């Protein structure tokens, strides 16, 4: 029986730009909890943002936050990877000084910004809905820095991604995270190692693990679990790497709740 299920959010649990979790998924998460199955959200988002997103269901969930730099369970820090402060501050200054880019610095429970524009501050507080602290001096940030992100409104991929990657890839893990964002964490940080730490904490064996993803920053997580499900709308390169596919996370969760295992699902596909 599956004992832990982790899922990416944007493009996976949240389809077509959705900004809220479906009532169907919330109900399923609660039913999984009743069966002793831990549900975990795995995202580049901060912990308070994720906790609010799932409402009361959050109380019994696991959270892989900041692309794996912070793992939380029932209000407890399970693992946390802090960046070297000098490295982080140098990276922050580089992002801030690049034309057209804004910087986002992640602490444990808030994001730090020194916004160049009011629209960026509005985006982070009212659209992304992060906990946000405005600072005048990056060096005054009073806690460990666990992730640094660059935001480029016109698009990071066709803009500054190659510049930042070339300059910083030997010092930090660089991950494009959506159209406008590139994230930087410690080199050994990813969703896979984060999920492993959560499963180890909960004493859940590998053969009882499942995960859902759709993008390259989900690969380590999908590789770690016994049953790695890729969304049907993922690019072919990612779909071709994994046996299990699904159009909707909720569809597969329904099957798990019904007692249908991934192995049985695969046998059904072969029968057709």
């Amino acid at each position: 029986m599956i004992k832990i299920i982790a899922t990416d959010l944007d493009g996976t649990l949240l389809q077509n730009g959705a900004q809220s979790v479906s009532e169907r998924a919330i109900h399923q998460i609660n039913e999984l909890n009743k069966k002793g199955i831990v549900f975990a959200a795995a995202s580049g988002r901060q912990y308070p943002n994720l906790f609010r997103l799932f409402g009361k269901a959050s109380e019994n969930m696991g959270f892989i936050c900041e692309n794996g730099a912070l793992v939380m369970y029932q209000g407890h820090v399970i693992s946390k990877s802090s960046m070297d402060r000098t490295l982080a501050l140098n990276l922050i200054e580089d992002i801030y000084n690049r034309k057209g880019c804004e910087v986002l610095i992640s602490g444990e429970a808030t994001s730090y910004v020194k916004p160049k524009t009011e629209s960026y501050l509005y985006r982070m507080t009212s659209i992304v809905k992060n906990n946000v602290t405005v600072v005048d001096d990056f060096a005054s940030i009073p806690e460990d820095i666990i992730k640094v992100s660059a935001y480029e409104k016109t698009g990071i991929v066709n803009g500054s991604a190659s510049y930042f990657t070339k300059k910083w890839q030997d010092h930090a893990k660089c991950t494009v995270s959506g159209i406008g964002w590139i994230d930087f964490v410690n080199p050994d940080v990813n969703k896979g190692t984060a999920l492993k730490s959560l499963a180890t904490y909960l004493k859940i064996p590998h053969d009882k693990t499942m995960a859902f993803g759709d993008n390259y920053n989900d690969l380590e997580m999908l590789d770690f679990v016994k049953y790695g499900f890729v969304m049907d709308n993922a690019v072919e390169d990612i779909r071709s790497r994994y046996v299990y596919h699904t159009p909707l996370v909720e569809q597969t969760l329904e099957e798990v709740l019904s007692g249908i295992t991934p192995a049985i699902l695969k046998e059904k596909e072969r029968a057709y």
Side-chain angles (χ1 to χ4, degrees):
M1 181 182 180
I2 302 298
K3 298 299 292 183
I4 189 167
I5 300 173
T7 183
D8 170 56
L9 293 187
D10 298 303
T12 303
L13 184 62
L14 302 180
Q15 292 278 319
N16 303 315
Q19 293 299 308
S20 60
V21 181
S22 70
E23 289 298 322
R24 180 185 180 190
I26 294 295
H27 172 75
Q28 290 170 333
I29 292 167
N30 289 329
E31 291 301 305
L32 289 167
N33 179 58
K34 290 177 185 178
K35 290 179 176 288
I37 302 171
V38 175
F39 189 85
S43 172
R45 303 188 190 201
Q46 66 170 204
Y47 173 59
N49 184 309
L50 289 171
F51 195 91
R52 288 190 290 266
L53 189 64
F54 288 87
K56 288 189 176 181
S58 296
E59 296 173 5
N60 296 303
M61 287 175 55
F63 293 95
I64 295 169
C65 320
E66 311 288 5
N67 279 331
L70 178 68
V71 180
M72 301 289 295
Y73 179 69
Q74 294 185 344
H76 300 290
V77 177
I78 305 306
S79 68
K80 178 179 174 179
S81 180
S82 302
M83 300 178 73
D84 175 82
R85 192 169 184 87
T86 299
L87 170 67
L89 289 174
N90 287 338
L91 172 58
I92 289 164
E93 288 293 340
D94 189 33
I95 295 169
Y96 187 79
N97 290 332
R98 186 159 176 87
K99 185 178 179 180
C101 288
E102 296 271 11
V103 64
L104 183 73
I105 303 108
S106 298
E108 190 173 307
T110 191
S111 299
Y112 298 91
V113 298
K114 184 180 175 181
K116 297 179 184 178
T117 63
E118 286 296 324
S119 62
Y120 176 62
L121 181 60
Y122 175 81
R123 178 181 181 81
M124 297 315 303
T125 57
S126 301
I127 299 177
V128 178
K129 297 182 179 179
N130 268 10
N131 284 6
V132 172
T133 301
V134 177
V135 295
D136 294 322
D137 180 3
F138 295 123
S140 70
I141 292 172
E143 62 171 310
D144 290 342
I145 295 168
I146 59 177
K147 189 181 77 175
V148 176
S149 303
Y151 173 70
E152 193 166 14
K153 185 177 181 180
T154 55
I156 202 82
V157 174
N158 297 319
S160 299
S162 59
Y163 164 79
F164 289 126
T165 300
K166 183 178 180 180
K167 187 170 182 178
W168 295 99
Q169 64 184 348
D170 292 336
H171 307 283
K173 182 175 183 180
C174 314
T175 305
V176 172
S177 180
I179 295 172
W181 294 94
I182 185 168
D183 297 333
F184 304 88
V185 291
N186 281 335
D188 59 344
V189 168
N190 59 67
K191 293 180 183 180
T193 56
L195 180 56
K196 182 178 181 180
S197 70
L198 180 58
T200 299
Y201 174 80
L202 296 171
K203 299 180 180 179
I204 295 173
H206 174 260
D207 63 353
K208 298 184 184 301
T209 58
M210 175 187 286
F212 299 86
D214 77 315
N215 216 325
Y216 291 99
N217 63 342
D218 301 318
L219 294 182
E220 292 95 344
M221 180 172 69
L222 294 169
D223 287 341
F224 165 70
V225 297
K226 175 70 173 180
Y227 304 107
F229 277 81
V230 177
M231 305 310 294
D232 284 348
N233 60 359
V235 296
E236 177 58 30
D237 178 47
I238 294 178
R239 288 202 313 274
S240 65
R241 300 182 190 208
Y242 301 97
V243 174
Y244 304 110
H245 302 160
T246 185
L248 284 173
V249 172
E250 291 94 329
Q251 177 177 309
T252 303
L253 292 183
E254 202 67 54
E255 290 160 345
V256 171
L257 286 167
S258 299
I260 301 175
T261 67
I264 291 174
L265 289 174
K266 206 65 213 167
E267 286 302 319
K268 284 185 177 182
E269 288 182 18
R270 292 193 187 101
Y272 289 119

